[in-house]
C-alpha cells in the first residue's frame, strides 16, 4: 500500500497533534469547477457516477485545482435506494426524483438489502482507481446518506423544504418507519464496509435533512441509526457524522464511536466545543454562502473561524455543500487561508 504523504485529516480525527488544521469542502467534487461542467455537458449524471474513470477524474479535480487535503469520491447518496431496487431519476434543474414512493409494509418487504458488493461495485471500483491515481497525495473519503435522509427521499419521492410527507409517515406509521430505517442502516453498513475495503481512508455519513426533525424526533428516528453505523465501522475506518441542523445532538454524539462530527454555521465554534469536549474532532462550519463574499472577507472570516475552533481536533470545512455559483478563486482563497493560518495568505 502506498504511504500517505498528507495524513493531516487522519491525525486530526485521531486527536493527534497537527501542524495546521486539514481542509476540504463538502460537495467539492462536481458542482462548480469548469472542468466538471464540461464532463457534465457530455455525460448524464448516472453515467458520470457509474463509470469509474469519470468518477475518478471528477474526484481528482479539486485536489489538483483547489489544493484540498482530502478527496471525496464522486458519487451520490441515492445509489443506496437504487441498490435496494428503487428507481432514481436525476433531472437537470429539478434534482432527484423517485417515482415509486414507499408507503406500505409490502413496499418495505420488497426492498433488497444484500448484494451491495455487486450492485455498487462501480463505486468500489471508482474508489480503488482513485486511490491508485492519488498515489498517496491525500486521504480518500467515502460516504453514504444517513438512514433518516434516505428515508426522506424514499417516502417523499423528491426534495422538499419541510419533508412533511416523510415526517407524516414516521409519525403515523412508526413501526414501518423503523423497519425502513433499519433496512437502510443494514445496507449502509455493508456499503461503507465495502468502501473501506476498497480504499476509503475515512467515511462520512450525510444526514442532510436531520434538522427537519425536532430534538425528540431526531433522537427517535435519526440518532440511533447514526450510532449503529458508527459502531459498526469503528474498527475499520474513522467515521464522520454530519447531522445538519442538530446542534443539540453534538454532546450525545461526542460519546459515540464516531471520530468526527460535522457542524453547520448556526452554532458558534465555542458552543460546539463546549458540547463536544475533547472527545471528538469537529468539522465545519463556514457558511457556504460566505464564499460569495469578497476574497479579503473570506480570508478574514476563515482566520476568525480557526481562532475560535483552535487548530487541534479540528477539520476546516463548510457548514454544508459548496454552491454551484462559487467562483473557483473564492474556493481557493478559503483553502489557502486555512493553509496560511495564523498568517494572512
Ligand atoms: O463532493 C461531492 O460533490 C461528491 C459527490 C456528491 C454528490 N452528491 C454528487 C452530486 C456527494 C457527496 C453528494 C451527496 C448528496 N446527494 C447529498 C448530501 C450532501 C448534501 O448536499 O446535503 C444529498 C442530499 C444528495 C441528493 C442529491 N443529489 C440532490 C439533492 C441533488 C440535486 C441538487 C444538487 O445537489 O446539485 C443531487 C445531484 C447531484 N449529486 C449532483 C452532484 C454533482 C448535481 C447533478 C449534476 O451535476 O449533474
Amino acid at each position: 500500500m502506498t504511504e500517505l504523504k498528507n495524513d493531516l485529516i487522519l491525525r486530526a480525527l485521531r486527536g493527534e497533534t497537527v501542524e495546521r488544521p486539514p481542509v476540504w469542502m463538502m460537495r467539492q467534487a462536481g458542482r462548480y469547477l469548469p472542468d466538471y461542467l464540461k464532463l457534465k455537458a457530455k455525460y448524464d449524471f448516472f453515467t458520470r457516477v457509474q463509470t469509474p474513470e469519470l468518477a475518478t477524474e471528477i474526484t481528482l479535480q479539486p485536489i489538483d485545482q483547489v489544493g484540498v487535503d482530502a478527496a471525496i469520491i464522486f458519487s451520490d447518496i441515492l445509489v443506496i435506494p437504487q441498490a435496494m431496487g428503487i428507481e432514481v431519476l436525476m433531472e437537470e434543474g429539478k434534482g432527484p426524483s423517485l417515482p415509486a414512493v414507499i408507503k406500505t409494509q409490502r413496499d418495505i418487504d420488497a426492498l433488497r438489502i444484500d448484494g451491495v458488493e455487486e450492485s455498487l461495485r462501480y463505486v468500489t471500483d471508482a474508489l480503488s482507481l482513485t486511490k491508485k491515481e492519488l498515489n498517496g497525495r491525500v486521504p480518500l473519503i467515502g460516504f453514504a446518506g444517513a438512514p433518516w435522509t434516505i428515508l426522506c427521499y424514499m417516502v417523499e419521492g423528491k426534495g422538499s423544504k419541510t419533508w412533511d410527507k416523510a415526517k407524516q409517515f414516521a409519525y403515523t406509521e412508526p413501526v414501518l418507519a423503523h423497519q425502513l430505517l433499519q433496512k437502510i442502516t443494514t445496507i449502509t453498513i455493508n456499503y461503507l464496509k465495502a468502501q473501506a475495503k476498497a480504499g476509503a481512508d475515512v467515511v462520512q455519513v450525510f444526514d442532510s435533512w436531520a434538522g427537519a426533525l425536532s430534538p425528540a424526533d431526531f433522537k427517535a428516528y435519526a440518532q440511533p441509526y447514526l450510532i449503529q453505523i458508527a459502531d459498526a465501522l469503528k474498527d475499520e475506518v474513522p467515521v464522520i457524522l454530519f447531522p445538519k441542523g442538530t446542534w443539540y445532538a453534538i454532546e450525545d454524539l461526542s460519546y459515540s464511536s464516531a471520530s468526527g462530527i460535522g457542524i453547520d454555521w448556526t452554532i458558534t465554534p465555542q458552543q460546539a466545543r463546549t458540547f463536544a469536549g475533547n472527545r471528538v474532532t469537529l468539522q465545519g462550519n463556514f457558511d457556504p454562502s460566505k464564499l460569495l463574499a469578497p476574497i479579503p472577507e473570506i480570508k478574514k472570516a476563515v482566520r476568525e473561524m480557526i481562532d475560535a475552533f483552535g487548530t487541534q481536533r479540528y477539520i476546516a470545512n463548510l457548514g454544508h455543500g459548496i454552491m454551484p455559483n462559487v467562483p473557483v478563486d473564492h474556493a481557493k482563497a478559503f483553502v489557502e487561508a486555512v493553509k496560511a493560518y495564523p498568517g494572512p495568505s
Side-chain angles (χ1 to χ4, degrees), residues 80-223:
I80 280 291
Q82 283 177 328
M84 297 176 93
I86 295 289
E87 186 187 15
V88 180
L89 308 169
M90 197 63 77
E91 289 163 87
E92 184 57 44
K94 274 181 134 183
S97 77
L98 295 72
V101 292
I102 299 294
K103 288 197 177 110
T104 64
Q105 180 77 61
R106 187 196 281 246
D107 297 336
I108 295 169
D109 290 344
L111 294 169
R112 279 202 311 267
I113 53 170
D114 42 12
V116 76
E117 301 233 3
E118 291 81 54
S119 55
L120 295 179
R121 173 145 306 136
Y122 62 83
V123 180
T124 48
D125 284 350
L127 284 161
S128 314
L129 181 61
T130 304
K131 191 78 189 151
K132 185 164 151 264
E133 297 285 324
L134 277 170
N135 196 23
R137 275 180 287 167
V138 292
L140 178 57
I141 304 173
F143 72 90
W148 167 254
T149 288
I150 297 297
L151 176 147
C152 281
Y153 285 103
M154 291 176 83
V155 170
E156 199 92 25
K158 56 183 186 325
S160 166
K161 279 206 164 70
T162 56
W163 300 102
D164 51 288
K165 291 193 190 73
K167 290 164 76 173
Q168 181 182 26
F169 179 70
Y171 304 155
T172 55
E173 299 283 0
V175 173
L176 292 188
H178 282 292
Q179 275 181 25
L180 177 55
L181 288 163
Q182 187 54 55
K183 279 192 120 171
I184 301 167
T185 301
T186 304
I187 188 171
T188 299
I189 288 170
N190 293 338
Y191 178 46
L192 291 174
K193 283 188 176 174
Q195 292 191 37
K197 216 165 94 190
D201 301 290
V202 177
V203 295
Q204 173 155 320
V205 183
F206 285 91
D207 213 348
S208 305
W209 315 128
L213 294 166
S214 70
D217 289 321
F218 176 80
K219 253 201 155 131
Y221 296 101
Q223 180 166 305

Side-chain angles (χ1 to χ4, degrees), residues 24-31 36-37 40 43-45 48-49 58-59 62 72-78 90-92 94-96 143-145 149 153 159 206-209 242 244 320-322 324:
W24 69 283
M25 290 177 294
M26 286 189 275
R27 305 298 305 273
Q28 68 188 16
R31 273 207 162 171
Y36 172 70
L37 298 175
K40 180 171 164 149
Y43 306 99
D44 71 63
F45 182 68
R48 275 172 272 146
V49 166
I58 297 167
T59 302
I72 179 161
I73 193 70
F74 181 76
S75 185
D76 198 79
I77 63 170
L78 298 174
M90 197 63 77
E91 289 163 87
E92 184 57 44
K94 274 181 134 183
F143 72 90
T149 288
Y153 285 103
F206 285 91
D207 213 348
S208 305
W209 315 128
F242 175 54
K244 184 174 179 288
H320 200 187
I322 189 166

Side-chain angles (χ1 to χ4, degrees), residues 278-305:
N278 205 32
R279 294 178 291 277
V280 74
T281 296
L282 292 173
Q283 171 176 283
N285 71 341
F286 202 80
D287 175 359
S289 302
K290 201 142 195 176
L291 290 182
L292 298 169
I295 285 179
E297 296 299 316
I298 295 173
K299 294 196 167 182
K300 182 165 160 276
V302 168
R303 286 194 294 274
E304 287 167 1
M305 174 175 77

